[in-house]
Amino acid sequence: MSVILLISPLAKKIPLIEGADYAGVDAGALRCMEQGISMVFALGDFDTAKGTYSSIEKEVVCYRLPTRKDETDMESAVYEAIERNYDQIILYGVLQGRFDHTMANLYLLLHRFPFLILMDENNRVRVLSKGTYIFQKEYTYLSFLALEKSCMSEEGVSYPLDHKQIDTSDIFTVSNEIIGTQAVITLHEGRVLMIEANDNESL
């Protein structure tokens, strides 16, 4: 499976995933350079990179976008990654900072590209549709929010569910925990937002 991480300017400690490619989005390219991570491309209007664009383009192929445009830099980076036929696209460092940008990235996941994964140093967010999934305990908390009327079961967690109906107004499915090494999640119908989270800085 080919994987690419699109690195936001707000990324702090970027995870090193074996076999994955990396791309810097705007000053996210600087974050990669600071941590010695090679990139396959950098993209953005580079307004947050200020006077460092010349150093970025010496390191990597850059696609410089106009400042005035309809698409966000991250949105354009997603399209570039799709064009390059990556199987998995991770938006990294996109769940912090300006709330409007956070919501825009969530909208990309919820309304356009359900295959995306959104991450920062303490959170991982994705969409699940009908099916059975096994998740290892990598984060402290495991939460689900229904995106439409759904029915789900949770096994191997502190608060198990068995064919429980959940609606878009329900929040009782927040802050569960995997009690062993893994959990089995079955979505019998519907679609949910899955959020894995930690309290502290380390994953």
Side-chain angles (χ1 to χ4, degrees), residues 7-24:
I7 305 302
S8 157
L10 294 175
K12 297 175 184 176
K13 184 179 179 181
I14 302 169
L16 298 178
I17 299 176
E18 186 177 356
D21 287 338
Y22 292 78

Side-chain angles (χ1 to χ4, degrees), residues 72-138:
T72 66
D73 289 344
M74 187 60 72
E75 180 182 359
S76 296
V78 170
Y79 283 120
E80 178 64 27
I82 291 172
E83 185 71 20
R84 292 172 180 241
N85 295 312
Y86 283 98
D87 297 314
Q88 187 175 90
I89 302 172
I90 299 171
L91 279 53
Y92 193 83
V94 296
L95 298 171
Q96 52 201 359
R98 282 178 51 181
F99 190 65
D100 56 345
H101 282 185
T102 299
M103 287 303 299
N105 291 318
L106 278 170
Y107 265 49
L108 289 177
L109 170 65
L110 297 179
H111 301 296
R112 297 197 201 172
F113 311 114
F115 51 83
L116 294 176
I117 296 175
L118 276 52
M119 292 180 65
D120 66 11
E121 285 73 21
N122 292 295
N123 303 277
R124 181 165 60 193
V125 180
R126 68 187 89 181
V127 169
L128 301 185
S129 54
K130 185 176 178 179
T132 297
Y133 307 84
I134 297 175
F135 293 109
Q136 305 301 314
K137 185 176 177 64
E138 300 178 61

